Amino acid sequence: MTLTAPSRRSSPAEDTAVVTTSVVVFTIRGRRLELLLVGRRSEPFRGYWNLPGGNVLPEEDLQVCAERKLREKAGVEGVYLEQLYTFGRPDRDPRGRVVTVAYYALVPPSRLRQPAAADAGMVGWFALDGLPALAFDHGEIVGQAHRRLVAKLDYSTIAYQFMPEAFTLSQLQGVYESILGEPLDKRNFRKRVLGLGHLVETGTVCRDGSHRPAKLYRLRNPRTVEIIK
Amino acid sequence: MTLTAPSRRSSPAEDTAVVTTSVVVFTIRGRRLELLLVGRRSEPFRGYWNLPGGNVLPEEDLQVCAERKLREKAGVEGVYLEQLYTFGRPDRDPRGRVVTVAYYALVPPSRLRQPAAADAGMVGWFALDGLPALAFDHGEIVGQAHRRLVAKLDYSTIAYQFMPEAFTLSQLQGVYESILGEPLDKRNFRKRVLGLGHLVETGTVCRDGSHRPAKLYRLRNPRTVEIIK
DNA sequence: GCAAAAGTGTTCCAGATACACCCATGT
DNA sequence: ACATGGGTGTATCTGGAACACTTTTGC
């Protein structure tokens, strides 16, 4: 039934697969939604880009594996990370059976290390609408991650995960507009977002140009994503 | 539960795992949401119930594996089946590293075979609020499946997947009430559901008691689940 | 004629949308 | 003084929620 009895599992390679995690790491830079890719240096798909990821270690939890990849490739920890979908087509990797548990992560641009590469290897940030050809089925994974992100925008507070500790309402609106790809009405946006009561004024302001300073806000409950409406 | 793990079959050399699928098979019988469980005849968790599922075959797609389990244990094909989440805690199976890709399925009660068991083995339908203790982390899987189902109820037409070809609005309302666990207003329900335009009258009626016959409806696009609003 | 479920409209309220001007600052 | 983004209120529309009686049938 669910599992073959241990006694019958004579050949150890039988019914096993390599399990990996891949992470779609999103950030927002310059009002554009971008994601992190890693250049492949070996076959298959040498010279292509793919998502950061790798094998799940024998005693490692799936989520922990994704966190590790995030640390190794993006150099960040403690950011929003959610399981997305599991990809397991038998032919998706020419080397053999590989089942990939995909995650997506949201990184505030303020948390990006300056050389985006943490460990060795070629890594780079790419605008979502301007991706190179991706290895394996990673294009499909990216598409699914983006759809999930857009869907969650309007029934949760997930967008706040792109924000630094303190931020202005205009910055927050910019994040929404970057993900949705369309402009929003300023007054309605502010009315709605303040009406939800998730934000509190810090009391400080942000002066960053020759114009009126903007009030800074912070989350009432940082680190939590709430379902709204 | 106190099983020793003498045959713990982690393969330290290779990062491989046994990959299985498990399926939370929902149906609605007698205005109650029920799901299919299989009795375990061997250790670990002998005598407990668990979800139908089993190893993914070497050349088998994950979804195809779930469909196969659905056929073997529930005796149904072609019903709604969606990937739910992947469970991979290193210690979730005392025999070794097992990564389970969980699915959930919705079966119209009209499609249930009379002896619910297709192949050999003890299987049974259980009301969601009255489940026995489940093996492994299957209780957690069921909880997540139920939450997903409830969430999808009000932004998709997923409930229709429980309906036979032709059905009355009262039957459809009963399905919603069973899943949500609360009564709905008849007029508002009918107004909303007819307003969406997914249903068409068949022209026939259903006489099933000493009262006015009910109009039968069918889906404009059966087999598809649409996102609403 | 009575029991039992089918069928049907209106009012009300809340949340979304559309829309334009003054404010505080740096140069 | 002027350029720049910050900040604010109202009228309207739309979709959801509350709510009770008539209709058709079987017995």
Side-chain angles (χ1 to χ4, degrees):
Chain A
M1 47 158 321
T2 35
L3 291 162
T4 318
S7 51
R8 297 180 52 192
R9 196 178 300 100
S10 41
S11 48
E14 190 189 350
D15 285 5
T16 66
V18 173
V19 178
T20 74
T21 61
S22 289
V23 189
V24 184
V25 188
F26 287 111
T27 194
I28 292 190
R29 297 197 310 178
R31 301 181 69 89
R32 266 192 343 198
L33 186 58
E34 301 188 348
L35 57 89
L36 187 70
L37 295 177
V38 180
R40 288 187 63 79
R41 300 214 242 217
S42 52
E43 296 295 346
F45 292 101
R46 185 210 295 252
Y48 282 71
W49 296 84
N50 66 188
L51 295 170
N55 290 13
V56 177
L57 302 178
E59 293 295 325
E60 187 180 45
D61 184 59
L62 300 173
Q63 178 104 8
V64 169
C65 177
E67 286 166 0
R68 178 168 57 83
K69 289 296 158 188
L70 199 47
R71 193 180 333 115
E72 291 171 0
K73 302 295 181 184
V76 294
E77 290 187 86
V79 300
Y80 184 79
L81 179 66
E82 180 189 328
Q83 189 181 305
L84 174 66
Y85 198 79
T86 296
F87 297 81
R89 277 210 334 269
D91 60 349
R92 60 184 291 278
D93 189 317
R95 292 166 294 184
R97 189 66 194 262
V98 178
V99 171
T100 293
V101 184
Y103 285 76
Y104 72 105
L106 310 186
V107 181
S110 56
R111 308 273 311 266
L112 294 179
R113 312 171 72 257
Q114 206 35 339
D119 71 354
M122 186 170 48
V123 307
W125 293 96
F126 291 81
L128 193 66
D129 47 11
L131 293 182
L134 299 187
F136 309 106
D137 51 3
H138 288 194
E140 190 187 341
I141 298 177
V142 168
Q144 214 157 316
H146 185 223
R147 283 193 297 278
R148 173 90 127 251
L149 178 58
V150 169
K152 282 217 161 184
L153 256 207
D154 59 51
Y155 68 87
S156 80
T157 57
I158 198 169
Y160 298 160
Q161 300 300 315
F162 281 116
M163 308 311 292
E165 277 270 334
F167 51 89
T168 70
L169 293 182
S170 295
Q171 287 164 357
L172 183 62
Q173 184 174 345
V175 168
Y176 273 86
E177 290 174 337
S178 300
I179 303 173
L180 294 173
E182 62 182 12
L184 299 174
D185 179 83
K186 183 163 55 158
R187 280 174 292 190
N188 292 336
F189 180 81
R190 294 159 104 94
K191 200 190 315 170
R192 178 155 25 96
V193 82
L194 290 178
L196 291 173
H198 296 312
L199 299 184
V200 290
E201 296 187 16
T202 62
T204 55
V205 293
C206 167
R207 298 169 194 276
D208 73 335
S210 57
H211 54 81
R212 177 171 176 175
K215 286 185 193 167
L216 285 167
Y217 292 82
R218 61 174 179 78
L219 284 172
R220 192 180 296 279
N221 312 328
R223 301 292 99 203
T224 65
V225 171
E226 299 177 38
I227 303 300
I228 55 186
K229 180 172 184 299
Chain B
M1 272 296 280
T2 56
L3 256 239
T4 55
S7 59
R8 184 158 178 99
R9 118 188 83 56
S10 33
S11 26
E14 298 173 76
D15 295 347
T16 64
V18 173
V19 177
T20 75
T21 62
S22 288
V23 189
V24 184
V25 188
F26 287 112
T27 195
I28 291 190
R29 297 198 309 179
R31 302 180 69 89
R32 266 191 346 196
L33 186 59
E34 300 189 349
L35 59 88
L36 187 70
L37 295 177
V38 180
R40 287 188 63 79
R41 304 217 241 214
S42 52
E43 296 296 347
F45 292 103
R46 185 210 296 255
Y48 283 70
W49 295 83
N50 66 186
L51 295 170
N55 290 15
V56 177
L57 302 179
E59 292 296 321
E60 188 179 45
D61 183 60
L62 300 173
Q63 177 104 9
V64 170
C65 177
E67 287 166 0
R68 177 167 60 82
K69 288 297 157 187
L70 200 47
R71 193 179 335 114
E72 291 171 1
K73 302 295 180 183
V76 293
E77 290 187 87
V79 300
Y80 184 80
L81 179 67
E82 180 189 328
Q83 189 181 305
L84 175 66
Y85 198 79
T86 297
F87 296 81
R89 277 209 337 267
D91 61 348
R92 60 185 292 277
D93 189 316
R95 290 165 297 183
R97 190 67 195 261
V98 179
V99 172
T100 293
V101 185
Y103 285 77
Y104 72 105
L106 309 187
V107 181
S110 55
R111 306 272 312 266
L112 293 179
R113 314 171 71 255
Q114 208 30 344
D119 71 354
M122 186 168 50
V123 306
W125 293 96
F126 293 80
L128 193 66
D129 47 11
L131 292 183
L134 299 188
F136 307 105
D137 52 4
H138 289 193
E140 190 187 341
I141 298 177
V142 168
Q144 214 156 315
H146 186 223
R147 284 194 297 279
R148 171 85 69 80
L149 177 58
V150 169
K152 282 218 162 186
L153 256 207
D154 59 50
Y155 68 88
S156 80
T157 58
I158 198 170
Y160 298 160
Q161 299 300 317
F162 280 116
M163 307 311 293
E165 278 270 334
F167 51 88
T168 70
L169 292 183
S170 293
Q171 287 164 357
L172 183 63
Q173 183 174 343
V175 167
Y176 273 85
E177 290 174 338
S178 300
I179 302 172
L180 295 174
E182 62 182 11
L184 300 175
D185 179 83
K186 183 161 55 158
R187 281 172 292 187
N188 292 336
F189 180 80
R190 294 159 104 94
K191 201 190 318 170
R192 178 156 25 94
V193 82
L194 290 178
L196 291 172
H198 295 312
L199 300 184
V200 290
E201 296 188 15
T202 62
T204 55
V205 294
C206 167
R207 298 169 193 275
D208 73 335
S210 57
H211 55 81
R212 179 172 174 173
K215 286 185 193 167
L216 286 166
Y217 292 82
R218 62 175 178 78
L219 284 172
R220 193 180 296 278
N221 312 329
R223 300 293 97 203
T224 66
V225 171
E226 300 177 38
I227 304 300
I228 54 185
K229 181 165 184 303

